[in-house]
Amino acid sequence: EIVLTQSPATLSLSPGERATLSCRASEPVSSYLAWYQQKPGQAPRLLIYDASNRATGIPARFSGSGSGTDFTLTISSLEPEDFAVYYCQQRSNLYTFGQGTKLEIK
Amino acid sequence: QITLKESGPTLVKPTQTLTLTCTFSGFSLSTSGVAVGWIRQPPGKALEWLALIYWNNDKRYSPSLRNRLTITKDTSKNQVVLTLINMDPADTATYYCGHSRSPLLWFGPWGQGTLVTVSS
């Protein structure tokens, strides 16, 4: 099973700041990695797929990069609605999710 | 517009079998490339992928739960059913179904989720 490790577990930032979230895979997953956003009481929403492609309707301030084992989700300038939990997911070998990064308001 | 909704019991006893139904609209599971998956999330914890069924009835299961899970589809009813046997309190979670489609095969959109509690 491919294990995804996300860091940091919690990220405290202020609106307008830049957020950088990391996801590391235990073995190479090529570009088969996605990022999801989950707000309290809601289902996850697909943000980024195939490492760097924004899903439909996702603002341009969200971007993804990486390949192989190391991936990054960047939010260029945080909006109040961006504070949530973010999960990475791989589909190179079945599916697994990371443990999540909570992005909280500082 | 694609929508999905999970339904089933909110409370099950240990050792019982859980049966959840995902009812969807806006797509057909008889269309080439389409798939529906199940994912769960224990309270306050991370997401865990469970199973996936493709338009051609091909199926994939989480290795850790493979011997307890069954996924089936009823194309005429636009439904996907997940069965999990021998329920344990550790299976308490919100269960989600999600739409997927080749070649991308990511999950989106998702249903609203249904909370299942395992307790005697």
Side-chain angles (χ1 to χ4, degrees):
Chain A
E1 176 181 313
I2 296 176
V3 176
L4 298 179
T5 302
Q6 293 187 239
S7 61
T10 303
L11 185 58
S12 300
L13 293 171
S14 300
E17 290 192 293
R18 182 184 187 90
T20 302
L21 288 67
S22 296
C23 178
R24 174 165 290 179
S26 60
E27 58 186 85
V29 298
S30 185
S31 294
Y32 297 129
L33 190 109
W35 292 92
Y36 295 82
Q37 178 193 65
Q38 186 178 33
K39 296 180 180 180
Q42 296 184 16
R45 176 176 69 148
L46 179 65
L47 295 177
I48 301 288
Y49 64 90
D50 291 353
S52 61
N53 297 284
R54 276 190 302 277
T56 302
I58 302 303
R61 63 181 181 273
F62 291 91
S63 63
S65 63
S67 66
T69 60
D70 291 300
F71 300 86
T72 301
L73 173 69
T74 302
I75 309 171
S76 59
S77 179
L78 286 166
E79 297 287 341
E81 62 267 26
D82 298 337
F83 292 92
V85 180
Y86 292 83
Y87 293 96
C88 58
Q89 180 202 20
Q90 67 81 24
R91 69 169 186 87
S92 175
N93 181 1
L94 297 178
Y95 295 94
T96 50
F97 289 90
Q99 81 279 17
T101 290
K102 181 180 181 180
L103 179 56
E104 64 177 24
I105 299 177
K106 187 174 182 180
Chain B
Q1 180 190 5
I2 291 174
T3 63
L4 306 95
K5 187 173 183 179
E6 307 85 353
S7 60
T10 58
L11 180 66
V12 297
K13 290 180 167 52
T15 75
Q16 287 187 334
T17 295
L18 172 68
T19 299
L20 293 174
T21 301
C22 175
T23 303
F24 54 84
S25 64
F27 67 95
S28 172
L29 248 182
S30 61
T31 301
S32 178
V34 174
V36 172
W38 284 94
I39 305 98
R40 72 179 180 181
Q41 185 173 38
K45 295 187 177 181
L47 300 165
E48 179 184 20
W49 172 73
L50 301 177
L52 183 77
I53 188 165
Y54 293 90
W55 83 100
N56 59 0
N57 211 36
D58 194 11
K59 303 168 187 178
R60 298 288 184 269
Y61 295 101
S62 166
S64 62
L65 292 166
R66 182 180 185 85
N67 60 347
R68 298 175 54 207
L69 282 169
T70 303
I71 189 170
T72 60
K73 64 182 177 73
D74 186 331
T75 304
S76 65
K77 293 183 179 179
N78 281 352
Q79 291 180 334
V80 171
V81 175
L82 184 77
T83 302
L84 181 59
I85 66 171
N86 194 21
M87 292 289 282
D88 181 89
D91 296 312
T92 293
T94 296
Y95 287 75
Y96 296 99
C97 60
H99 166 270
S100 188
R101 184 162 191 164
S102 291
L104 301 179
L105 287 175
W106 302 109
F107 295 114
W110 299 44
Q112 63 190 24
T114 186
L115 176 60
V116 178
T117 301
V118 184
S119 175
S120 55

